[in-house]
Amino acid sequence: NDTAVESVEYAVAHPATEPNCNDSTPYVIKPYISGSVLPVDLGATDACPVMYKTTGATTLPASSITFGRGTLYVPGDLLITGNIINTYGVSYSSINKIPNLGIVVKGNITIAAGVTQIDASLHATGKIKTCDSYPSVACAQKLTIRGKLAAGGGFELGRNYFSGSNDPAELVIGSGLIEAFPPPGFTDVSSGAGVTQTVSNESNPRF
């Protein structure tokens, strides 16, 4: 079962009407246009979590998020072309105001060479690729992801960063936010109810 996708698709089919979300309809649904920057506040006006829904293959540019829980749902492939950064250091009126982004993709997630930081949990039914160019000579920068990763088609780790000090080319740092306050569609995944198949594959050598 691809639980995150099923949960997201159910939420999309049963949207709440802003700002009246509640336990039975806990998400507000908003459209997302490919290539547009995510809002600084992901949440709705009453701090309800938001499901941002696209209509197909999507490009996600650099975005800075200060407030809100939200999920970007892409029924196609996703290309991430810029850093997705959570900015902290402010006070929050509720747990829903803490920045927490989940990305669910019914396809592949590809991360462009210039991206160095993604503060989000990524779930793809296809592959998660950390470089958009092969051979990946252009992907010589370290990539840090703060969140959970799941890929039904496995991972293509294409970064060729080398520092000489055992610094990894791809660094994934788990976030407790996905467990404590999961964004829309990630509740079953964070509880362990979802089962995701991963496929091992050979990575590029680090010379």
Side-chain angles (χ1 to χ4, degrees):
N1 289 328
D2 204 331
T3 311
V5 172
E6 292 173 355
S7 297
V8 168
E9 289 181 339
Y10 178 85
V12 169
H14 300 79
T17 301
E18 186 180 357
N20 299 316
C21 63
N22 51 50
D23 289 340
S24 60
T25 52
Y27 321 132
V28 172
I29 307 298
K30 292 186 177 182
Y32 174 81
I33 299 173
S34 178
S36 60
V37 175
L38 288 171
V40 172
D41 188 344
L42 287 178
T45 54
D46 62 345
C48 285
V50 173
M51 181 83 67
Y52 293 90
K53 182 180 181 297
T54 72
T55 57
T58 298
T59 298
L60 175 61
S63 301
S64 180
I65 301 166
T66 303
F67 299 101
R69 255 198 307 163
T71 296
L72 174 64
Y73 171 56
V74 181
D77 292 337
L78 173 66
L79 173 63
I80 301 175
T81 59
N83 291 342
I84 310 299
I85 299 176
N86 290 341
T87 57
Y88 299 102
V90 298
S91 60
Y92 302 104
S93 57
S94 74
I95 59 174
N96 282 335
K97 280 294 188 181
I98 300 173
N100 189 5
L101 173 65
I103 298 175
V104 175
V105 174
K106 205 168 183 179
N108 298 320
I109 297 175
T110 302
I111 302 169
V115 178
T116 59
Q117 180 176 335
I118 298 175
D119 295 339
S121 292
L122 309 181
H123 187 291
T125 60
K127 294 182 178 181
I128 293 178
K129 308 175 184 181
T130 62
C131 182
D132 61 345
S133 176
Y134 289 92
S136 52
V137 176
C139 292
Q141 299 186 78
K142 178 179 177 178
L143 172 64
T144 300
I145 299 175
R146 293 179 172 88
K148 280 192 171 183
L149 300 184
F155 302 86
E156 289 186 5
L157 305 179
R159 295 286 165 142
N160 282 325
Y161 168 82
F162 178 70
S163 68
S165 59
N166 294 322
D167 200 18
E170 288 101 348
L171 176 63
V172 180
I173 303 172
S175 171
L177 288 174
I178 191 72
E179 303 288 348
F181 314 115
F186 280 79
T187 303
D188 290 335
V189 175
S190 64
S191 69
V195 177
T196 302
Q197 179 185 8
T198 58
V199 179
S200 299
N201 61 285
E202 183 178 354
S203 301
N204 288 343
R206 307 294 199 268
F207 294 127

